[in-house]
Amino acid sequence: MSVIPIIVCSDNPSEQSKIARCVAFDQEHVIESSYEQLERCLESYPTATVITSWLTPCAELRATIKISSSKSVPLIVFIRKFNLNTFNNLPDPDGYLLLPSSVDCDFNTWVNRAKQVREKQIELTSEIAHLEQKLEDKKWVDRAKGLLQKFHNLSEEQAYGMLRKAAMEQSLSIAQVSENLIAALQKSEQS
């Protein structure tokens, strides 16, 4: 079983070292990283989990959250001066854990929870993209059906049947055939 590294990043070097020591009790591979080194670290360790500790929300922390999200790595954010404004000054905790640093914890538990949260966020993002694509495909099909109905006096079922038959003959999706049909009609109108 491969060892998944933990990257610890903080705005305070002594806080960073303290967290790294605590995490080392449960984890085999702990890396301390400055904010400036974080992106390079994640390129070297793309499966890492990131644990951060910041005094208050700031631009660097927001960038750290953005980097972790773009790399799809689990992230735990500890805030040492946690208050109600903390939530207003950071991106929605979608895909990462946001905790006050006063939480007394077994880091292993939080690392596992951060992985679950990130996996769920990736799954939801993928599902949203899939649904958006289905909606876009439906728009193409509906538009192509409408054009076939208008220009060939077909019923909706007949127009859909033509698109479906063309899709099977061309080994394409109905949406792709619809998009190609619309593109061809637009091209012929321009000529």
Side-chain angles (χ1 to χ4, degrees):
M1 187 166 115
S2 64
V3 176
I4 297 174
I6 304 293
I7 299 172
V8 180
C9 182
S10 178
D11 61 349
N12 180 305
S14 63
E15 180 72 14
Q16 181 171 303
S17 294
K18 180 179 110 182
I19 291 172
R21 283 191 308 274
C22 290
V23 172
F25 284 115
D26 296 325
Q27 304 293 324
E28 292 180 38
H29 193 166
V30 179
I31 302 158
E32 291 187 51
S33 170
S34 67
Y35 163 75
E36 294 80 12
Q37 299 168 324
L38 182 61
E39 200 155 7
R40 280 192 309 268
C41 238
L42 284 171
E43 287 169 8
S44 299
Y45 302 100
T47 61
T49 295
V50 178
I51 298 175
T52 65
S53 173
W54 250 259
L55 181 62
T56 59
C58 63
E60 285 180 339
L61 181 55
R62 285 189 292 279
T64 299
I65 292 168
K66 188 175 181 179
I67 290 166
S68 297
S69 180
S70 71
K71 304 269 186 200
S72 298
V73 297
L75 172 65
I76 301 170
V77 175
F78 287 105
I79 301 292
R80 296 191 301 278
K81 284 192 174 182
F82 200 94
N83 59 43
L84 290 178
N85 285 332
T86 299
F87 293 105
N88 298 331
N89 293 319
L90 290 175
D92 288 336
D94 182 24
Y96 70 97
L97 297 180
L98 176 61
L99 303 165
S101 64
S102 60
V103 171
D104 190 22
C105 64
D106 164 30
F107 279 100
N108 216 16
T109 301
W110 289 113
V111 167
N112 289 331
R113 182 64 183 140
K115 289 176 185 177
Q116 291 171 345
V117 166
R118 181 59 75 195
E119 287 167 5
K120 186 66 174 174
Q121 185 258 343
I122 291 169
E123 181 183 309
L124 289 173
T125 301
S126 176
E127 187 175 331
I128 289 168
H130 175 72
L131 291 172
E132 287 173 342
Q133 185 60 53
K134 282 180 77 169
L135 184 59
E136 190 64 29
D137 290 351
K138 183 175 178 354
K139 288 178 184 177
W140 283 110
V141 172
D142 288 347
R143 190 168 169 208
K145 280 191 313 189
L147 291 171
L148 288 172
Q149 287 175 272
K150 180 180 176 182
F151 292 115
H152 296 287
N153 290 330
L154 301 173
S155 69
E156 186 176 353
E157 292 98 25
Q158 290 171 322
Y160 185 77
M162 284 184 72
L163 292 171
R164 198 173 98 169
K165 183 179 178 194
M168 287 191 297
E169 288 172 354
Q170 298 173 32
S171 297
L172 296 172
S173 70
I174 294 174
Q176 187 61 54
V177 167
S178 299
E179 195 173 343
N180 292 346
L181 173 67
I182 292 166
L185 288 173
Q186 287 174 342
K187 192 174 183 180
S188 70
E189 286 176 357
Q190 292 172 355
S191 299

